[in-house]
Amino acid sequence: MSQANVTLFTVDAVLILDNDSHRILTKYYQPPHPYPNNLFANQYPTIKEQRAFEKGLFDKTHKQGTDIILFDNHVIVYKEVVDVIIYVVGGINENETMLYQVVLALRDSLEILLKHSLDKRTIIDNYDLVSLAVDETVDDGIILETDPTIISARVSRPPAYDTSVKNLDLSEQGLMNAYQLAKERLAERLKQAL
Amino acid sequence: MSYKKNEDLDSGPGGAVMDKMTVFQDCIAGFNASPIQPRKCRVLLTKLTYLLSTGDIFARDESTRLFFSITKLFQHKDIALRQMVYLVIKELARSADDVIMVTSSIMKDTTVGSDVVYRPNAIRTLARIIDASTIQAIERLIKTAIVDKHPVVSSAALISSYHLLPVSREVVRRWTNETQDTVLAQKIFPQAAYGGASGGLGIGPAGPAPSVMTQYHALGLLYQLRSHDRMALIKMIQQLANAGSALKSPAAVVMLIRFVARTIDEDRNMRRPLYSLLEGWLKHKSDMVNFEAAKTILEMRDATDAEVSPAINVLQLFLSSPRFVSRFSAIRILNRFAMIRPQNVNVCNIDIEALINDPNRSIATYAITTLLKTGNEASVDRLMKQITGFMNDISDEFKIIVVDAIRSLCLKFPSKQASMLSFLSGVLRDEGGYEFKRAVVEAMFDLIKFVPDSKEDALAYLCEFIEDCEFTKLAVRILHLLGEEGPSTAHPTKYIRYIYNRVVLENAIVRAAAVTALSKFSLIDDASVEESVKVLLTRCLDDPDDEVRDRAAMALRLSATEKTLAKEYLAPESVPSLVALEQQLILYVTGGPDAAKVAFDISSVPFISKDQADADQFRAKTMATLPILGVSSMESGSVAGSGGVSPSKTPASVGEDFAQKYAAALAKIPEFHPFGAVIRSSRPVPLTESETEYVITGIKHLYNDHLVLQFDVQNTLPDTVLEDVSVIASPNMADDETEPFVEEFIIAIPRLVQESTGTIYVAFSRPCGEENAYTGAVFSNTLRFTSKEIDPTTSEPEEEGYEDEYQVEDIEVGVGDFLVPTYVGNFQHMWDQLSFETSETYSLSGIGSLSEACSSVIESLSMQPLEGSETPLQSATHVLKLFARTLQGGKVVALVRMAYSAKTGVTLKISSRAEDERVAKMVVGGIA
């Protein structure tokens, strides 16, 4: 009975694979500071083991669309969207619904961030958004947040412009930008001089 | 300003892989450039992330270089860049050196306003680079962040504290008060979050979203800080449970339920008040809470029927949920419970039946295995009909699971064999691969073996199958079976035709098998059959294949000799133990040229009689039916037993391996040679707790007139050597009048160095003579030794030691040691055959359920349960049927009627019949 997990470590891995079982994003979690006796350590330390696990899992889940499976002593929930599958891997006795909320949160926040075109191409084009979203959902095995609107609000968009002279335009806004830029530069120089 | 994003990422998976070294060089150059270009740098960081998240690993020095060039980016204040910087730093902190250098840069970021998007990222990254020497410095900072009104900041601080637990539990414990305040705090995620930042996202939620996860994080941390203090924990549970709806996060409630489960487990007094909490949570509005509460209730060891029924009702509702995950959770919990108390799950049968063709295979498999446990004879027909309905629409892999399930149903309800057999023969005609056909054929084999009534029909179906069978392996096995079973049927000649057809039509392997099968028919006591077999065999002498010709020639030659001699070769009564044979052969082959000079000695391999092989197989089969889920390597730890696919791992054969190993070890000791061969070795019994200084296990070996107790002693102390280790075992006779066991000698361990294991043998002469053959005794054991500590400076043990004694648990030699569980097909027949009967009534107040009583009776008597009677179907009454053989081969049956009531516990009446009155008495007296 005391086998229930009383730690916050809930998610063993988050995987995003494409429809050929190739990796798009894989995160195998373990505590950042090791526990004695390798408690909670990553069960698949080498790339080879990880790939074998992913391959086996993919073969059992691709085109199944049945959300949940027991595989290799893990409860795994997954969602297949267009040409990608998002997996959340948990311990064998983990609460299935809790894990399912994580995979739903991931999928829905990506839908929001990628403006409802959740597919492999878009994920790779916006890889910064996707990896930040995953980081805002799970932190080394601990579920951070399961509300997709909060997760997506936490992800910053890439900067709109680079501070290079080439991109200057001469509209009013552009001049304002130039002024701003000059101010920044000056401040930076001054800071460095100090 | 058209801008093609992240161009280089185009070469993602499948295409030309992004080159690690190019990215590395670009990053070093890009991050060190001045002025910093935030957009370009973010693209570079993204590429790095891509490499790190798809399995590329940077060497330590590369990581360190990257890490420090990234820290240059702290000079730029673009928040979008900063967030990405933290993501990468967090990743690289594991593999780079001297990461502590950036502490001050990061700490500056953790004190910015709560509405700055990267503040939580900074806090979480800080936890990665801090170590035991610097943790003090961030104490104030974390405390402030924990109580911050912004939920994400607070969560980040709580999680960071959690990650820092292994670094310094002491320091984190100082944050208990802040954590405590956060558990019930309501923190609102602001609507205009980071609105001004980086152009905003424009997806703002309709209203302020309350983020409740902070409660979960705070509760998880609080538990770690308080888990050593049970009173504080109980107080916390009560406080939170009474707070009603203040604990908003479902995840936090799930956590709380797990603490409740722990507490109930450790403190029986808390059981009653905490159960009512669990019951309340069954009605919680979140599914995950319902499941956790139901699971916890059903896992309580002593839950009453009234207590489990609300939980089962809740789960029953979820069985028809549209969500896969909910159905899965519900059936999984019910399945586990059905293994222990099938009668309580009965009520859900109709809903479970609807799940057996669920598109999710795991759900369907759980449904079928659950029904197997809960089903009664009446529902079998309906179940069969339903299964037949969808058999054509499912994959082979799943068909195998279904067939395995049917197979165990057959063994459980032998009277339903006819309908199951027709089902099996039906699917045998269907399309299917080898594995599937094999499963069906094996199921039929089992029927033939264990359900005698089905034999004729099943054989007929199999004959029909081999007429058109594309799998050589299966044809060979079926032919072998026909040879085994055919001659003893009413019309053996019928099978000869089928077998001979194979000789005419098939490939050499099948022909050879057919010839062997045919030769067994020549043993039938009927001159005409014998003659025709001879004619057929003679024809085989012209076969193009030499193996076929050889077999035919040998069979012909044997049939010309004495019947008994021929029988010994063609249909031997006992076969060598294959495990032992293999082991001996390997020893022989690897023994070098010396060993090869003498011929292999087959007599060194123990032979197993057919009866015994059957019993072992039957046990393995019924064990295997429990977790059929093992087939897809799905669940191993949680359901009892191992998977159904690997017969080599079943408990029966493990037992055999044990005995094998001991016999080999004992044979090497010259002192035991006069005793003769070991008749029986028991399983090892632990005599101490597994974490004591000296770990001891005991094994009993019975010889004809002697008893040898084996003690395996493990010295777990790292700094002590034990010398002259022996065990004083003194028998306490149950009955004073019988001749006692007399100790003959002890083989002690002269020296047991630290952290090693040794073996002590104590030999006794057994009370001899007919009337004492089944005398048991209880041995009380004391470990005696001289203990010498190791001098840490020289690593040598000290000269002077001191003598010490260590009391360990008793070993009992009782009924179980004189009986060998044996399988027999027909219990009633056996019962009628045996004459001496005795009976006795017992009342066992300490036992809480019938299934517990069954397993304890089976274990203490060491008898084989028959007709699936080891699992009670009703909770009030049950009849257990048992059979075994004595060490001398005598038969003994026992019929145990039991009744259970909550007030008096289990009352049972055991009646036993045997060939020998004393055996019957012994069995009846064996329950105490």
Side-chain angles (χ1 to χ4, degrees):
Chain A
M1 182 147 139
S2 43
Q3 61 196 346
N5 175 15
V6 288
T7 71
L8 286 179
F9 299 116
T10 310
V11 180
D12 292 340
V14 168
L15 314 170
I16 304 180
L17 305 180
D18 74 0
N19 56 3
D20 276 322
S21 90
H22 292 298
R23 289 174 154 198
I24 298 176
L25 184 150
T26 54
K27 289 254 170 256
Y28 288 81
Y29 296 115
Q30 56 183 340
H33 298 285
Y35 277 74
N37 303 327
N38 279 335
L39 212 61
F40 315 116
N42 180 1
Q43 211 182 318
Y44 306 98
T46 66
I47 300 282
K48 207 177 148 200
E49 289 163 282
Q50 295 177 1
R51 286 302 290 147
F53 171 73
E54 289 157 20
K55 191 90 191 62
L57 177 60
F58 178 83
D59 288 344
K60 288 212 177 291
T61 49
H62 181 48
K63 295 246 180 292
Q64 293 291 329
T66 53
D67 290 0
I68 184 162
I69 188 173
L70 287 178
F71 179 75
D72 204 20
N73 253 323
H74 289 283
V75 172
I76 297 156
V77 291
Y78 62 98
K79 277 287 172 195
E80 192 163 2
V81 190
V82 194
D83 54 356
V84 293
I85 313 187
I86 307 172
Y87 296 95
V88 172
V89 182
I92 187 76
N93 289 313
E94 199 44 73
N95 187 309
E96 295 87 352
T97 316
M98 197 141 131
L99 292 172
Y100 190 60
Q101 287 222 320
V102 178
V103 78
L104 288 184
L106 263 180
R107 184 196 63 182
D108 296 344
S109 57
L110 293 184
E111 291 271 6
I112 296 172
L113 287 167
L114 306 179
K115 309 216 159 60
H116 300 285
S117 58
L118 182 51
D119 55 54
K120 182 181 169 188
R121 175 82 267 132
T122 323
I123 288 181
I124 290 189
D125 284 347
N126 296 283
Y127 204 77
D128 47 349
L129 304 184
V130 176
S131 49
L132 284 173
V134 172
D135 183 61
E136 292 294 336
T137 313
V138 182
D139 180 281
D140 276 334
I142 300 180
I143 302 173
L144 255 186
E145 185 52 72
T146 53
D147 182 335
T149 54
I150 296 181
I151 295 170
S152 50
R154 289 275 314 134
V155 175
S156 62
R157 293 275 171 191
Y161 59 90
D162 259 340
T163 44
S164 108
V165 192
K166 259 182 277 168
N167 287 341
L168 277 186
D169 61 348
L170 291 172
S171 65
E172 198 180 337
Q173 181 64 40
L175 286 173
M176 282 304 288
N177 285 347
Y179 169 68
Q180 203 68 34
L181 172 67
K183 219 168 87 179
E184 269 172 31
R185 282 288 178 79
L186 191 64
E188 240 170 70
R189 285 289 154 81
L190 283 173
K191 225 187 262 171
Q192 275 170 5
L194 286 172
Chain B
M1 204 163 70
S2 78
Y3 192 99
K4 205 170 167 205
K5 285 179 214 158
N6 306 358
E7 278 167 319
D8 290 15
L9 281 175
D10 273 12
S11 49
V17 179
M18 271 203 305
D19 179 45
K20 190 170 104 182
M21 272 345 275
T22 319
V23 173
F24 176 74
Q25 297 297 351
D26 287 354
C27 285
I28 299 288
F31 300 153
N32 286 311
S34 178
I36 293 162
Q37 300 194 316
R39 180 166 189 115
K40 187 175 163 216
C41 287
R42 178 146 152 157
V43 172
L44 285 171
L45 288 171
T46 306
K47 285 186 190 176
L48 261 184
T49 317
Y50 180 79
L51 289 179
L52 292 170
S53 332
T54 47
D56 271 306
I57 295 163
F58 286 97
R60 213 162 178 91
D61 56 327
E62 289 168 349
S63 291
T64 311
R65 271 189 75 187
L66 275 174
F67 188 85
F68 285 100
S69 63
I70 290 170
T71 56
K72 295 251 167 38
L73 301 178
F74 276 110
Q75 287 169 24
H76 201 283
K77 66 171 185 45
D78 187 287
I79 56 166
L81 176 64
R82 190 66 61 88
Q83 196 179 25
M84 205 64 201
V85 165
Y86 279 120
L87 185 69
V88 177
I89 287 189
K90 222 172 89 175
E91 283 301 312
L92 289 177
R94 274 180 219 285
S95 52
D97 292 320
D98 302 323
V99 293
I100 205 105
M101 306 280 281
V102 295
T103 311
S104 67
S105 297
I106 298 179
M107 274 175 68
K108 214 183 291 167
D109 276 355
T110 59
T111 52
V112 295
S114 298
D115 52 341
V116 177
V117 76
Y118 57 71
R119 185 178 176 203
N121 302 71
I123 296 174
R124 286 195 282 133
T125 309
L126 194 57
R128 268 72 180 180
I129 59 164
I130 229 75
D131 63 21
S133 62
T134 47
I135 188 167
Q136 307 259 7
I138 63 163
E139 197 181 328
R140 250 190 84 75
L141 186 156
I142 297 279
K143 275 186 180 176
T144 325
I146 289 178
V147 293
D148 195 283
K149 64 178 194 322
H150 198 295
V152 182
V153 174
S154 179
S155 278
L158 290 166
I159 286 177
S160 300
S161 316
Y162 201 86
H163 284 318
L164 288 170
L165 282 171
V167 177
S168 172
R169 197 169 273 271
E170 276 319 303
V171 175
V172 177
R173 191 163 284 147
R174 295 189 210 140
W175 309 333
T176 310
N177 285 340
E178 285 77 9
T179 311
Q180 166 83 51
D181 290 345
T182 313
V183 173
L184 289 177
Q186 309 282 330
K187 301 194 178 190
I188 304 291
F189 188 80
Q191 179 179 22
Y194 324 121
S198 63
L201 289 158
I203 45 88
S211 176
V212 290
M213 288 305 276
T214 311
Q215 297 185 334
Y216 167 64
H217 300 137
L219 188 59
L221 180 60
L222 204 56
Y223 177 77
Q224 292 300 324
L225 299 177
R226 291 214 173 135
S227 58
H228 60 285
D229 181 355
R230 190 188 299 161
M231 282 325 289
L233 196 64
I234 290 174
K235 211 176 130 210
M236 180 179 91
I237 292 173
Q238 281 168 337
Q239 193 186 352
L240 291 176
N242 294 333
S245 56
L247 197 60
K248 283 212 158 46
S249 160
V253 181
V254 167
M255 208 65 178
L256 195 58
I257 292 176
R258 291 180 185 168
F259 305 157
V260 167
R262 280 258 160 125
T263 315
I264 291 180
D265 220 23
E266 287 162 6
D267 188 348
R268 310 305 296 164
N269 295 330
M270 292 303 295
R271 193 183 163 291
R272 197 168 288 277
L274 290 180
Y275 169 78
S276 57
L277 284 180
L278 290 174
E279 198 180 1
W281 279 315
L282 287 175
K283 299 186 196 87
H284 194 277
K285 61 182 188 302
S286 165
D287 294 4
M288 74 169 95
V289 175
N290 304 152
F291 283 125
E292 198 69 29
K295 187 156 109 188
T296 307
I297 291 176
L298 296 189
E299 277 175 6
M300 289 192 338
R301 269 167 297 160
D302 52 354
T304 63
D305 286 355
E307 283 171 333
V308 298
S309 112
I312 288 180
N313 290 342
V314 166
L315 293 175
Q316 187 174 10
L317 289 179
F318 279 116
L319 287 177
S320 43
S321 155
R323 268 194 180 181
F324 285 110
V325 174
S326 300
R327 294 203 299 273
F328 180 91
S329 283
I331 189 70
R332 187 171 173 213
I333 299 169
L334 285 173
N335 176 282
R336 198 178 299 178
F337 191 60
M339 296 299 154
I340 322 164
R341 285 162 64 173
Q343 70 279 7
N344 290 86
V345 186
N346 269 338
V347 289
C348 307
N349 274 3
I350 304 273
D351 296 279
I352 297 176
E353 274 173 33
L355 294 182
I356 55 180
N357 52 353
D358 197 282
N360 185 317
R361 293 298 136 74
S362 313
I363 296 177
T365 316
Y366 273 128
I368 290 175
T369 43
T370 312
L371 286 175
L372 268 178
K373 275 284 158 188
T374 59
N376 48 24
E377 232 164 318
S379 66
V380 168
D381 284 326
R382 198 175 38 179
L383 196 61
M384 299 295 295
K385 217 164 136 196
Q386 224 170 347
I387 294 175
T388 320
F390 68 85
M391 205 60 186
N392 286 325
D393 311 328
I394 55 179
S395 70
D396 266 16
E397 191 193 356
F398 191 37
K399 277 183 188 165
I400 294 171
I401 296 174
V402 174
V403 169
D404 280 344
I406 302 280
R407 175 171 77 178
S408 29
L409 260 187
C410 297
L411 300 186
K412 197 170 155 195
F413 301 120
S415 58
K416 289 285 169 193
Q417 50 89 12
S419 68
M420 295 188 213
L421 196 58
S422 70
F423 169 80
L424 287 176
S425 70
V427 294
L428 201 52
R429 279 189 220 106
D430 291 347
E431 289 292 304
Y434 169 71
E435 284 298 326
F436 166 57
K437 294 277 158 120
R438 191 181 62 97
V440 181
V441 169
E442 289 206 336
M444 294 179 94
F445 278 21
D446 282 358
L447 269 177
I448 291 170
K449 239 187 198 140
F450 302 117
V451 188
D453 292 344
S454 66
K455 193 159 150 186
E456 298 263 328
D457 288 339
L459 284 178
Y461 287 128
L462 288 174
C463 284
E464 198 181 302
F465 175 63
I466 54 168
E467 288 285 283
D468 185 22
C469 170
E470 52 190 312
F471 306 109
T472 302
K473 269 190 197 164
L474 288 182
V476 169
R477 292 188 56 183
I478 294 172
L479 284 168
H480 175 75
L481 184 83
L482 287 178
E484 294 274 303
E485 303 289 340
S488 59
T489 52
H491 310 286
T493 44
K494 170 163 100 180
Y495 303 108
I496 295 180
R497 184 173 64 85
Y498 284 108
I499 296 172
Y500 191 69
N501 277 347
R502 297 302 99 209
V503 179
V504 181
L505 298 164
E506 288 281 359
N507 62 38
I509 301 170
V510 179
R511 290 203 303 273
V515 167
T516 309
L518 210 51
S519 63
K520 291 186 181 160
F521 284 85
S522 67
L523 296 174
I524 296 170
D525 230 359
D526 182 332
S528 71
V529 176
E530 212 173 314
E531 199 50 42
S532 41
V533 170
K534 229 178 239 175
V535 172
L536 293 174
L537 284 174
T538 316
R539 280 191 207 156
C540 297
L541 288 174
D542 297 331
D543 196 277
D545 186 83
D546 57 345
E547 174 71 24
V548 182
R549 289 197 305 271
D550 288 354
R551 288 191 185 197
M554 167 137 169
L556 278 173
R557 180 70 195 276
L558 282 170
S559 63
T561 60
E562 280 280 317
K563 264 259 156 73
T564 48
L565 183 66
K567 196 162 187 295
E568 205 172 302
Y569 279 95
L570 292 174
E573 269 301 308
S574 57
V575 288
S577 154
L578 291 179
V579 187
L581 179 62
E582 186 187 7
Q583 191 193 350
Q584 297 283 353
L585 282 172
I586 290 172
L587 279 180
Y588 182 72
V589 172
T590 55
D594 286 346
K597 275 181 197 145
V598 280
F600 179 72
D601 180 17
I602 187 77
S603 63
S604 65
V605 179
F607 278 66
I608 301 175
S609 74
K610 275 226 167 96
D611 281 351
Q612 200 171 348
D614 281 356
D616 285 351
Q617 230 181 2
F618 183 73
R619 207 173 329 145
K621 292 259 159 64
T622 37
M623 288 301 284
T625 55
L626 285 177
I628 289 177
L629 292 163
V631 172
S632 37
S633 73
M634 290 205 298
E635 185 155 11
S636 60
S638 49
V639 186
S642 61
V645 271
S646 50
S648 62
K649 281 190 195 137
T650 53
S653 60
V654 169
E656 194 178 294
D657 289 351
F658 265 119
Q660 234 29 269
K661 207 174 72 194
Y662 296 137
L666 290 171
K668 286 200 189 105
I669 300 170
E671 282 88 338
F672 296 140
H673 287 173
F675 295 178
V678 188
I679 311 176
R680 179 154 192 202
S681 295
S682 74
R683 292 173 156 273
V685 193
L687 300 177
T688 55
E689 302 283 325
S690 58
E691 58 274 343
T692 47
E693 296 164 353
Y694 317 108
V695 180
I696 304 174
T697 45
I699 301 136
K700 298 164 272 185
H701 305 288
L702 278 179
Y703 289 80
N704 235 347
D705 304 319
H706 295 84
L707 168 76
V708 172
L709 298 180
Q710 172 183 346
F711 297 92
D712 289 339
V713 185
Q714 191 191 356
N715 175 11
T716 61
L717 296 175
D719 51 7
T720 307
V721 173
L722 306 182
E723 288 186 357
D724 299 323
V725 193
S726 63
V727 171
I728 311 302
S730 43
N732 308 320
M733 305 307 294
D735 184 350
D736 295 331
E737 288 165 33
T738 46
E739 189 181 339
F741 286 79
V742 180
E743 185 178 314
E744 296 209 335
F745 55 82
I746 300 179
I747 302 180
I749 310 172
R751 186 181 159 88
L752 189 62
V753 296
Q754 63 276 28
E755 293 175 328
S756 66
T757 306
T759 303
I760 302 168
Y761 295 99
V762 186
F764 294 89
S765 64
R766 263 175 75 194
C768 51
E770 264 294 281
E771 68 271 29
N772 286 328
Y774 305 113
T775 308
V778 176
F779 292 84
S780 57
N781 309 305
T782 312
L783 187 70
R784 186 171 287 175
F785 51 86
T786 309
S787 158
K788 291 185 177 174
E789 280 185 22
I790 292 182
D791 191 329
T793 49
T794 58
S795 322
E796 287 295 317
E798 288 166 353
E799 285 291 306
E800 289 293 302
Y802 58 92
E803 287 195 8
D804 203 354
E805 286 191 355
Y806 190 74
Q807 184 78 33
V808 298
E809 307 253 328
D810 296 348
I811 291 186
E812 188 182 351
V813 176
V815 188
D817 296 295
F818 302 113
L819 295 177
V820 184
T822 313
Y823 175 77
V824 68
N826 192 331
F827 178 83
Q828 197 56 43
H829 181 66
M830 206 41 86
W831 179 259
D832 296 341
Q833 242 181 24
L834 298 169
S835 46
F836 293 99
E837 179 176 339
T838 41
S839 58
E840 192 73 62
T841 309
Y842 295 93
S843 140
L844 313 171
S845 51
I847 290 181
S849 75
L850 286 180
S851 52
E852 214 176 303
C854 281
S855 44
S856 107
V857 167
I858 291 168
E859 189 169 327
S860 59
L861 293 183
S862 154
M863 294 177 81
Q864 174 75 40
L866 297 173
E867 300 174 14
S869 64
E870 72 271 29
T871 36
L873 297 175
Q874 284 138 11
S875 56
T877 55
H878 182 64
V879 179
L880 176 66
K881 298 169 179 175
L882 300 166
F883 181 72
R885 280 179 185 275
T886 62
L887 293 177
Q888 285 74 22
K891 299 167 193 155
V892 52
V893 287
L895 193 67
V896 190
R897 292 175 205 280
M898 37 184 116
Y900 172 76
S901 82
K903 230 184 280 165
T904 54
V906 175
T907 312
L908 62 83
K909 181 184 179 190
I910 175 168
S911 313
S912 169
R913 288 191 180 188
E915 288 164 325
D916 184 326
E917 200 180 340
R918 275 170 301 125
V919 177
K921 275 198 178 132
M922 170 182 80
V923 168
V924 165
I927 306 175

